[in-house]
Every structure is written in C-alpha cells, then in structure tokens.
Amino acid sequence: MSAYGYAERPARYTAIAILLHWLIAAGIAALIVIGLVMTQLSARLPQMEVFKLYQLHKSIGITVLLLAVLRLAWRLSHRPPPLPRELPAAEKGAAHGLHWLLYVFMIGMPLVGWAVVSSSPFNLPTVLYGLVPWPDLPILPTLADKAAVSHVLAWVHAYGAWILIALLAVHIGAGLRHHFIKRDGILGRMIPGLRL
C-alpha cells in the first residue's frame, strides 16, 4: 500500500515527455500573456513595440507547434504510464479525452495563427526570434480576398485561445485535485521531484 492509499505507485512519464510537457506549458503561458497584451493594450504601446510583440508571439507559436508535434510523436511511440486502477472509468475517460483535446489545440492553434499571418493583406514577414525567416503556408498568400479570410481565421484563433485557456484551467484544476484532495500521486508523474 502506498502513502496515498493505493496498492501500486503510479509510474512517471519519461524524462523526454516531462521536458516537452513543461517546455510546451511555458510556451503556451507566454503566448497567452503576449496575446492578451497584443489585443488589450496594443493601442497604448508604441507601434514598434507592438510589431515586436507580434513577432515574438509568432516565434513562440511556431516553437510550440514543433514541440507539440514532437510530443505527440513521442506519446504515440512511448506508452504513457497507466492511470491507477482504482480511478473510476468516467474519470479515466475524461482524462484521456482532455489530453487528446489539448493535443488538438496545441497543434491546431499555432496552425491557425500561421494561417492568419499567411493570409494577412499586410504581407509582414515572419522571422523567428529575429533570426530564422519562416515561410507562409501555401495558397493563402495568393487568395483574391485575403483580408476576409484572414479576418475569419483571426476570429477562430482568438476564440480558440479562450477555449484553450478554459481547457488548461480544467487540466490544472484536475491535477491539483488529484494531488491535494485525492492524494493519488498522479500529479507526481509529470512534476520532477514531487513525491509520488
């Protein structure tokens, strides 16, 4: 019997999975903060600062996209540690569903943002971290009515961000519930140094 009342201690994720998880988490947190500043405070900032924020947002977004694809590939090739057998089936299903939904958003949101930039009538280049030129997606730069397409994509990106924030709140809340209320060691599978 473990200190948490379970017969078996839950195994940890691999070091690579943990590293990718926290790199992506840090990237998404930065994207949310920068996105809110860009949309809520841009009128109060100098134009050059706004441009720098957009470039940084795009750079981090592409980084999150690449890391999320790596994380998904790792997940598909390395079985994650099983959830405790004592966990109700409904909770297991909700956990798996939420994880896959987060993958959809971790990959989909940067792709939609990339599509917004690619269809923008302003034709501003994307240079990742001021060093690496990044191409537009195909077809979108050649559309006849780019402004309308870019507007719709920007709307999807903005509302998708709020949905992602809600999903992350549920994800974080569930982790804290498992650690502080259920005390089943699940959170320790993904936090280095946290006792299982």
Side-chain angles (χ1 to χ4, degrees):
M1 204 58 121
S2 75
Y4 295 95
Y6 286 99
E8 297 178 11
R9 288 164 48 111
R12 288 192 193 278
Y13 280 88
T14 64
I16 297 294
I18 291 172
L19 176 65
L20 289 170
H21 175 275
W22 291 110
L23 287 174
I24 293 167
I28 290 173
L31 288 170
I32 290 170
V33 171
I34 294 168
L36 289 171
V37 171
M38 283 167 28
T39 56
Q40 306 301 317
L41 302 175
S42 61
R44 303 179 195 175
L45 297 173
Q47 202 66 25
M48 184 52 72
E49 293 303 312
V50 174
F51 176 77
K52 288 178 182 177
L53 280 176
Y54 272 87
Q55 288 295 330
L56 182 58
H57 188 79
K58 292 189 287 184
S59 298
I60 297 172
I62 293 298
T63 303
V64 166
L65 172 62
L66 297 175
L67 289 173
V69 169
L70 280 175
R71 176 73 178 92
L72 179 59
W74 188 263
R75 167 73 190 262
L76 293 174
S77 61
H78 295 77
R79 181 185 290 265
L83 293 168
R85 283 181 300 203
E86 296 85 352
L87 201 65
E91 282 193 43
K92 288 182 181 178
H96 290 306
L98 179 59
H99 278 115
W100 287 111
L101 199 52
L102 284 170
Y103 277 113
V104 168
F105 275 81
M106 288 187 298
I107 293 171
M109 284 293 292
L111 284 174
V112 173
W114 188 4
V116 170
V117 172
S118 300
S119 60
S120 171
F122 299 113
N123 296 319
L124 294 174
T126 297
V127 182
L128 303 184
Y129 304 104
L131 299 170
V132 181
W134 191 258
D136 287 332
L137 286 168
I139 299 171
L140 293 174
T142 62
L143 294 175
D145 191 5
K146 292 201 305 184
V149 173
S150 186
H151 177 74
V152 170
L153 290 169
W155 182 89
V156 170
H157 193 64
Y159 282 94
W162 288 111
I163 295 170
L164 177 56
I165 290 169
L167 292 173
L168 290 172
V170 172
H171 180 62
I172 294 166
L176 294 174
R177 173 177 171 263
H178 279 286
H179 188 67
F180 291 108
I181 297 174
K182 300 196 78 173
R183 299 183 58 79
D184 55 15
I186 285 179
L187 189 61
R189 305 181 323 157
M190 190 53 85
I191 298 183
L194 190 65
R195 190 179 64 156
L196 288 172

